[in-house]
Amino acid sequence: MATNDNHGENSEYFDGWKAYDKDPFHPNRNPNGIIQMGLAENQLCFDLIKDWIKENPQASICAPEGIHQFSDVAIFQDYHGLKEFRQAIAKFMGKARGERVVFDPDRVVMSGGATGANETIMFCLANPGEAFLTPSPYYAAFDRDLRWRTGVEIIPVHCHSSNNFTLTIEGVEEAYQRAKESNIKVKGLILTNPSNPLGTMLDRSTLESLVRFVTGKNIHLVCDEIYAATIFSIEKFVSVAEVVEGMDSSEVNLDLIHIVYSLSKDMGFPGFRVGIVYSFNDSVVACARKMSSFGLVSSQTQFLLASMLDDDKFVENLLSENLKRLGKRHRVFTLGLKKVEITCLPSNAGLFVWMDLRHLLRDNSFESEIVLWRIIIDKVKLNVSPGSSFHCTEPGWFRVCFANMDDETFHVALRRIQDFVSRNKAKVVEKSTEVNDQSSSDNVKKQKWREINLRLSFSSRVYEDRIMSSPRIMSPQSPLLRA
């Protein structure tokens, strides 16, 4: 199990990270290196967190002011977790959702990040060979988190650009019936809300429909809400906990509703490995808690966070400032792309944009998407993630993360994208002029664009031939070129 290939590490999603690790950008030491835009990490409010730590040294057992707590924290802790920590997490989950719902600390189960939490809930709810539906495009590492060790299958609910990749109850029903016809037992539906990689949210009406659907089918609903506090529009995030609280008891079976949460995105603490399983089902809470002994949060981390998250003034300011900074970064990035006629899926949450580069593809194929992706990594020196790694059914979409870097690096990355597209555009316009001498048809222009644009980019014909002749480039499911 540990040595099989189902981890998904040999994919373009992780290959981009490997390329960055070999040649990381630094403004002075390596200004021509690769900029990491494939990591959904939130570093925009680190200054506020550092200031709090400096002002509250008693919150750390590593500081003289907190050393008197060392003996209590360093000894063995029950896998229920520190009571103060669970209370602080429940309180923060409420604040991150506008305090429109109250969470019970006794239902908070620790795990090693959202990765561990997602795997834990799968172990609790399904047997090997059984399946969970999930909307696609979906988080690239779900194949690892949900399937690798559990043996649970993933059945995509395909969403499309024609309606902005909106999840519909009709699509869920169709995927459910398709699985049933294939004799696959569906145990539930898992959602990332807000969506990774789309940066969009599900509205209350859709969530209510999904709750009714799983209740009617007697299957589980797992909502991964790790981006709950990254909403930078006036629209409010609606948690499934808020939805079920307002529904009639005849429409919802609370034993089927579960939430996965983490501090990795909302606070920018992926290195702290704080994942949470929160279930309305007592049996699931008990099972998940027993399994949590394999992925506990360190007592030192619990001690620090209990104090930090209990500081109401700090938390409220952090959440407010985080949204302002995310909104500004998103606005600057999308407007900067718009200047070179690159559009993104309209979004209002998350740490990334879903960028549309379909017009840069040589043809409408995943092979062309991978060629373009290789050029962006090797020549433009940006690690972005191609849509095929998120199981998108349409080639040409890319997830681009914008919150994991400082302002200087961010503007360098934006200029690189703009320069790349502008150079292609200028050459294509020149070539299209020649075409216009023979025909003024827009269709001809479009065809010529697709035929020549990648050849005019930073690549050479030899480079392109080498990539296209690789036997690994066969489909979005195949192991693709290593960095």
Side-chain angles (χ1 to χ4, degrees), residues 41-53 229 265-269 308 314-327 329 351 403-407:
E41 195 170 74
N42 185 1
Q43 299 184 19
L44 299 187
C45 286
F46 275 5
D47 59 319
L48 302 181
I49 295 167
K50 290 176 183 177
D51 288 343
W52 186 91
I53 293 173
K265 314 302 180 180
D266 288 350
M267 294 197 72
F269 289 166
M308 182 183 294
F314 166 75
V315 169
E316 289 165 8
N317 180 60
L318 176 70
L319 292 175
S320 174
E321 192 63 26
N322 185 45
L323 298 187
K324 290 178 185 176
R325 296 182 187 186
L326 280 174
R329 185 65 70 87
L351 313 174
N404 64 331
M405 63 194 79
D406 58 31
D407 285 339

Side-chain angles (χ1 to χ4, degrees), residues 97-108:
R97 291 153 181 81
E99 296 189 295
R100 294 183 299 277
V101 62
V102 176
F103 292 90
D104 182 355
D106 289 334
R107 295 192 175 278
V108 170

Side-chain angles (χ1 to χ4, degrees), residues 77-112:
Q77 302 292 337
D78 188 276
Y79 49 67
H80 285 70
L82 297 176
K83 181 179 179 181
E84 296 81 3
F85 172 73
R86 287 185 288 110
Q87 290 173 335
I89 286 288
K91 185 178 178 181
F92 180 76
M93 288 175 68
K95 282 186 177 294
R97 291 153 181 81
E99 296 189 295
R100 294 183 299 277
V101 62
V102 176
F103 292 90
D104 182 355
D106 289 334
R107 295 192 175 278
V108 170
V109 181
M110 292 185 297
S111 185

Side-chain angles (χ1 to χ4, degrees), residues 18 22 43 48-49 71 74 102 211 223 262 281 327 365 369 472:
K18 296 170 190 174
K22 290 180 180 178
Q43 299 184 19
L48 302 181
I49 295 167
S71 297
V102 176
V211 169
C223 288
S262 166
N281 186 317
S365 68
E369 176 182 276
R472 290 186 175 189

Side-chain angles (χ1 to χ4, degrees), residues 22 58 147 176 221 227 246 294 305 310 356 463:
K22 290 180 180 178
Q58 75 284 356
R147 298 176 59 241
Y176 180 85
L221 175 60
Y227 292 97
F294 294 98
L305 291 176
D310 198 44
D356 185 1
Y463 170 81

